[in-house]
Each structure stands twice: as C-alpha cells, then as structure tokens.
Amino acid sequence: MTRNRADADDLVQAAVSNALAAQHSFTPGTNFGAWMFRILRNRFLSDIRRRRDTCDMDNAPAEALARPAAQEDSMALRELRRRLADLPADHRTALMLVTVQGMSYEEAAAVMKCAVGTAKCRVFRARRQLEAWLMGDPQPAKRSAQAQAQAKSGEVRRRGGNTRSGSAAETRALHPGM
C-alpha cells in the first residue's frame, strides 16, 4: 500500500497497536487475517487523509472552492443537438459540412450537388434559425427594414447583380432603347 518499506513498517506497527486497543471487538472463530487487514487498510486511509493539505476556509483561494458549472454546458449541448435535429435536412447537412467538417462553400456545394450560392444560403439560414431557437425566439429575425422596403417597392436583385424595378415605365426611363 505504501510503496515504501519504512512507511510500511510504521503502518503495520500502528495497525497492531489499533488491533490491541480494539481486541474486545474481535469475535473468536472468525477470520483474524481479514480483521487485521481491515484495521491496516483503515489506518492507511486515515493516514492519507491526515496528510492532505488543509487550510482555513477564510484563507482558501476562491478557485479551490468554486468550480465552473458543467451541467449548464451539457444542457446547452443537449439543446443544440435537439435543435440541429429540428433543422431541415438540407440546411443541417450544409451547416455540418461547412462548420463541423471545415469544408469550403464550394466543396460543400459539390457534395450536396447544388450551386455555391445555395450552399451559402442554407448555411446562413441554418445558423439564423439555430440562433433564434437557442435565444428563445420561435422564428429567426426578419430581414432588415431596408431589405423589406426594397421587396415592398418591387425592386428585385438579379443573379448578375442588376436590379430591376417592378414597373415597365421605370424600366423604359432607365433604358430608353427598350
């Protein structure tokens, strides 16, 4: 137990003195070796406990008394796993490929067999939806006021970067040759 011959001799001597002091508790006809070993083991454990460093509670450093709460982290991870499962499959796949596996949007798009813009959009929407759920909102935040105003006025952004107004008169004014 002690891994040191001198300490082992001291331990045996202390255990024998404890056994002699408690000899009235030994029942004749029972296993004397087991009784003695139990006393030896208990004495060993008591000595270890006595040797531990102790200090007054007032002088103890704060980090010795306080530990970070691990249950909050596990609850947050459990909630994240549950919410990931609630995402649409294509959004979840895109998010995992880009954020967990570290793929570029181009690589993720190739794996999902879609356009790069579609992959980016799926990752964005998945992140936005997860953030909303984890912050307690049932729906993700709406578009900005400027984006809503553009959509309301009929202005549409095309893939090439051109914007077109919804009215034909405005189109002719901007492009007289049409």
Side-chain angles (χ1 to χ4, degrees), residues 70-81:
Q71 68 272 20
E72 290 178 14
D73 294 339
S74 70
M75 288 174 55
L77 284 173
R78 188 178 319 126
E79 177 71 10
L80 178 62
R81 269 191 232 106

Side-chain angles (χ1 to χ4, degrees), residues 18-129:
N18 284 2
L20 289 173
Q23 65 185 347
H24 63 278
S25 68
F26 177 71
T27 308
T30 59
N31 188 348
F32 178 77
W35 181 73
M36 198 60 207
F37 181 76
R38 179 72 154 210
I39 292 172
L40 183 76
R41 185 178 140 269
N42 289 343
R43 182 60 191 234
F44 174 72
L45 293 175
S46 295
D47 289 347
I48 287 177
R49 287 187 190 110
R50 256 188 235 116
R51 276 186 273 173
R52 276 191 290 192
D53 290 336
T54 58
C55 66
D56 192 351
M57 289 291 286
D58 297 333
N59 298 333
E63 48 280 345
L65 301 174
R67 303 215 189 294
Q71 68 272 20
E72 290 178 14
D73 294 339
S74 70
M75 288 174 55
L77 284 173
R78 188 178 319 126
E79 177 71 10
L80 178 62
R81 269 191 232 106
R82 188 173 69 80
R83 290 306 188 169
L84 277 170
D86 292 343
L87 284 174
D90 56 345
H91 289 90
R92 183 176 50 249
T93 302
L95 184 67
M96 290 296 166
L97 290 174
V98 171
T99 59
V100 177
Q101 295 185 4
M103 289 186 176
S104 67
Y105 287 110
E106 291 79 15
E107 293 169 333
V111 168
M112 294 186 302
K113 296 179 177 77
C114 66
V116 175
T118 303
K120 288 180 179 180
C121 182
R122 288 175 182 172
V123 171
F124 171 77
R125 288 183 180 177
R127 284 179 176 157
R128 195 172 74 176
Q129 183 65 61

Side-chain angles (χ1 to χ4, degrees), residues 133-144:
W133 282 337
L134 295 176
M135 298 305 282
D137 297 332
Q139 295 295 321
K142 298 292 182 192
R143 291 184 290 182
S144 69

